[in-house]
Amino acid sequence: MTPETIKILQWVGTAIGAVTLWYKDTIAIRLGIKQGEKNLEKEALENLQKNLDIYQEMVSDIDARYKAKIVELEATFQASITKLQADIVELQGINEQLSDIIKKQTARIKYYTKKYGEEDKL
């Protein structure tokens, strides 16, 4: 091969490379390479959507569980409050009875103190 032939082949190789670069997207689509990239992107987006749907379902499930637990705790709290209020009313009644007994006992002590006098304190 002569040096001129080598130069021509180099020039032709450079031209083919330039044309290939210029039309790389068209060539890639025709060879199916670009389509594969598009399919890969589509699958990645579908997987992302599926993951988001799963996370949304999990969040909804957790939300429902916590709302049910809150309702249950509120009912338990209200039942406790009602019982405590009933206990308070009962204790107030007992307190009134004890106050009456103390008043009666105080009156008796005063009566007997007047009648018999105070006992000598040691």
Side-chain angles (χ1 to χ4, degrees):
M1 285 215 256
T2 64
E4 292 155 354
T5 310
I6 293 175
K7 260 189 167 180
I8 291 172
L9 287 176
Q10 285 177 344
W11 187 84
V12 169
T14 305
I16 290 173
V19 169
T20 303
L21 284 175
W22 185 266
Y23 292 106
K24 70 177 188 279
D25 287 337
T26 307
I27 293 170
I29 288 171
R30 289 204 177 151
L31 293 176
I33 297 169
K34 200 71 167 183
Q35 189 67 30
E37 289 176 3
K38 286 183 181 179
N39 287 339
L40 193 61
E41 287 178 16
K42 182 180 177 184
E43 288 176 13
L45 289 174
E46 287 174 356
N47 285 338
L48 180 63
Q49 183 62 43
K50 287 177 185 177
N51 286 338
L52 289 174
D53 291 343
I54 289 170
Y55 288 130
Q56 181 63 42
E57 193 175 312
M58 287 172 45
V59 167
S60 298
D61 182 51
I62 289 171
D63 183 50
R65 286 183 190 180
Y66 277 112
K67 284 182 180 178
K69 190 66 175 176
I70 288 170
V71 168
E72 178 186 331
L73 289 173
E74 284 177 345
T76 304
F77 181 73
Q78 281 300 328
S80 297
I81 293 289
T82 303
K83 184 180 180 328
L84 288 172
Q85 286 173 340
D87 290 347
I88 287 172
V89 169
E90 180 183 348
L91 289 173
Q92 285 173 339
I94 292 171
N95 190 28
E96 287 175 11
Q97 289 174 355
L98 289 174
S99 293
D100 290 342
I101 291 171
I102 289 172
K103 285 178 187 176
K104 288 177 184 176
Q105 291 297 326
T106 304
R108 283 187 183 162
I109 291 172
K110 285 182 183 178
Y111 170 77
Y112 287 116
T113 303
K114 279 184 179 180
K115 185 174 182 180
Y116 298 109
E118 284 191 40
E119 187 177 316
D120 292 335
K121 295 182 184 177
L122 299 174

